[in-house]
Amino acid sequence: MKQKLEALILTAVDTLKNEGVIDAGITPKITIENSRDLQHGDFATNVALVLAKPAKSNPRALAEKIVAALPKDELVSRIEIAGPGFINFFINPDAQFQIVSQILDQGAKFGLSQTGAGQKVQVEFVSANPTGPLHVGHGRGAAYGSVVADLLEAAGFTVHREYYVNDAGRQMDILATSIWLRYLAECGEVVPFPTNGYRGEYVREIAGDIHKSAGNDYRRPAELIVEDIPPDEPQGGDKETHIDALIARAKTLLGVSLYEDFFQIGLKTILQDIRQDLAEFGVNYQEWFSERSLMESGAVEEALDRLRQAGYLYEQDGATWFASSRLGDEKDRVVIRDNGQMTYFASDIAYHMNKLDRGYDKIVNIWGADHHGYIPRVKASIEALGADASKLTVLLVQFAVLYRGEEKVQMSTRSGEFVTLRQLRNEVGQDAARFFYVMRRSEQHMDFDLKLATSKSNENPVYYVQYAYARVCSVLRQLDEKNWERDITLGMDNLNCLREEHEMALLTTLARYPEVLERSALMYEPHQLVHYLRDLATEFHTYYNAHQFLVEDPVIRNARLNLICAVKQVLSNGLLLLKINTPEAM
């Protein structure tokens, strides 16, 4: 509807250009909004106010000229000018009925567009370190990223979903060493567990499995492990120095090959669990990209060489620095430490070089909100590599805060005190988890209300939307029970008998779905789709409570059945994009 109105306005503007009223070089941005008050029309535009200054005209006078130049169209029943020059459009009610036919004809394809056709987008999301199970905080990024990717696909983009596996570096070494120390405990060796080790029960389980299969093959005496190790934090030492010394000792006592066993077993076990957890949550990827592969292929060195040749690397205090402050970062960043080890940031530079080399038109990174400060340095690296930094969009997701009653649940992967995504799904269900996670803007803080998510009431938003779908199904079952058949053609031919206020409101809302879908995709805002579905459900429930559908008059009955089946289809389409079920009975 908005596209049709936009075309009419553009025609009027072109006419005024030909008449010399508007300069031929002016290309107006036409904004059409849904009217908040139907007494002021169905749609409104401020195009006259936008063009008034460049056209050197009074806005209201210009609005009158635009209206006079508008082509006649059966879509529009009347046009009014309001205030300083707003143009209000009243849509012919008969034209609004076309949306029902369009929805029922297009079915699952209704609302899809080709806006992004020909453009490739890579969406990288979750990418949690494979050092433990996914917790409820990761779940929000998973649901958000999954829906953003699906929305972009619905808008015609070719989408590549990717998980960046941090399978190299210090955190994985801490995990491998933590597993080995728990394994030693299984062997009977008494070694104090480090403050900075991973303490979750999953570490004990992995260690126990290794002991069952390998016996004491990896056992080393406790006295050799702790000999000359710097003290841990409780003993007045530094926990970081302590864990680093234990990692070095593990590598020395086990040797490269045996130490790698613990590294790989920990990585593969946890990564397999993450893959399964996400798949069960309706989140799937085209690629799981290994950080280690960047190092082994020489991609990190290649990226740093490109930066060096471009004049963005320098040596200082034994380390190699990237001059990111020259490109908008708050300070320069180390890419090679004074001990010769490459930083995480060096791998990230190589990873983004790899993304750019793959030829994506857009690169979307979905990160936790704690990575906010990381954005300028990554964009700086892209620019330094000679690429277009505007291709990268970084979307930040606040971790969800879980409440049990009034008590906030404290979570820490390192300490092992957290609620896993799997536990949350088991408690509140898949549908509630996904719906609640995307109800708000990703950058907003979120308190996850377990009690509300499990309630079967209208206060539970996912229940409320699903119940609207189930109610339509219930009406169709009652139709069968009465041995009546739905006459779609009769209903279509008589949609103009739907003149009730609730019916007109539903028609207007149904017509908004394609616009909401496209806007949700282009703005990376799934919550807009969620709010729309709640609005549609509210209007349907109001209609359901106010009117009978299975009336004796077949004309009204079939017209109303067509209308509510259109509602059912749009609810189905929207919930499918959110990967939420559509129960036929509740």
Side-chain angles (χ1 to χ4, degrees), residues 104-132:
L104 297 183
D105 286 345
Q106 295 181 9
K109 293 183 179 180
F110 176 72
L112 305 185
S113 76
Q114 290 300 306
T115 300
Q119 297 186 63
K120 295 195 303 179
V121 183
Q122 190 240 31
V123 182
E124 182 227 323
F125 59 108
V126 183
S127 298
N129 287 340
T131 52

Side-chain angles (χ1 to χ4, degrees), residues 191-413:
V191 181
F193 198 80
T195 301
N196 223 17
Y198 284 99
R199 296 174 171 270
E201 186 60 31
Y202 64 94
V203 175
R204 296 180 186 272
E205 291 173 359
I206 295 171
D209 290 340
I210 294 173
H211 186 254
K212 287 177 184 176
S213 62
N216 290 339
D217 290 355
Y218 300 99
R219 184 174 184 172
R220 301 293 184 270
E223 56 269 21
L224 291 181
I225 297 164
V226 300
E227 185 180 6
D228 297 326
I229 292 291
D232 201 354
E233 190 173 68
Q235 288 73 48
D238 179 73
K239 63 181 181 180
E240 304 293 348
T241 303
H242 179 73
I243 192 68
D244 286 342
L246 283 174
I247 292 169
R249 185 61 51 83
K251 292 178 178 180
T252 299
L253 293 177
L254 288 172
V256 174
S257 177
L258 297 184
Y259 176 82
E260 185 68 11
D261 288 347
F262 280 87
F263 190 104
Q264 289 297 329
I265 290 171
L267 169 65
K268 289 177 181 177
T269 302
I270 293 173
L271 194 57
Q272 182 180 2
D273 180 75
I274 289 174
R275 283 176 181 262
Q276 180 182 343
D277 201 5
L278 288 172
E280 291 173 355
F281 194 43
V283 180
N284 294 286
Y285 297 87
Q286 278 77 43
E287 186 164 357
W288 295 71
F289 193 100
S290 163
E291 177 189 2
R292 216 172 198 194
S293 71
L294 292 170
M295 297 181 173
E296 293 172 351
S297 68
V300 180
E301 289 87 349
E302 180 187 347
L304 296 184
D305 283 344
R306 282 170 62 171
L307 292 179
R308 188 175 286 108
Q309 291 169 15
Y312 284 102
L313 295 190
Y314 64 90
E315 309 294 325
Q316 182 176 304
D317 301 327
T320 302
W321 296 71
F322 168 46
S324 55
S325 62
R326 288 162 50 189
L327 297 168
D329 195 9
E330 62 181 359
K331 62 181 181 180
D332 293 347
R333 307 291 175 176
V334 175
V335 289
I336 304 177
R337 298 188 181 94
D338 55 8
N339 62 4
Q341 289 186 340
M342 293 185 182
T343 61
Y344 281 116
F345 181 44
S347 297
D348 284 337
I349 294 171
Y351 181 40
H352 284 84
M353 181 182 75
N354 178 281
K355 292 184 181 189
L356 292 164
D357 289 347
R358 281 187 264 167
Y360 294 112
D361 298 289
K362 296 176 183 289
I363 296 169
V364 178
N365 290 353
I366 297 175
W367 292 344
D370 55 338
H371 285 70
H372 180 271
Y374 211 75
I375 300 173
R377 73 186 76 169
V378 172
K379 282 188 171 285
S381 71
I382 291 174
E383 190 174 342
L385 288 168
D388 182 2
S390 68
K391 284 189 174 183
L392 172 66
T393 297
V394 179
L395 306 171
L396 298 176
V397 179
Q398 289 284 353
F399 278 173
V401 180
L402 187 65
Y403 283 85
R404 293 190 183 281
E406 299 296 323
E407 185 179 354
K408 178 180 175 181
V409 179
Q410 300 296 329
M411 293 184 289
S412 167
T413 306

Side-chain angles (χ1 to χ4, degrees), residues 173-192:
D173 280 328
I174 293 175
L175 174 67
T177 301
S178 299
I179 295 171
W180 183 54
L181 294 174
R182 292 303 192 197
Y183 161 83
L184 290 173
E186 294 283 332
C187 297
E189 297 291 340
V190 180
V191 181

Side-chain angles (χ1 to χ4, degrees), residues 60 166 225 248 276 355 362 428 440 507 575:
R60 191 173 179 93
N166 298 103
I225 297 164
Q276 180 182 343
K355 292 184 181 189
K362 296 176 183 289
V428 305
R440 293 188 176 88
L507 289 168
L575 289 172

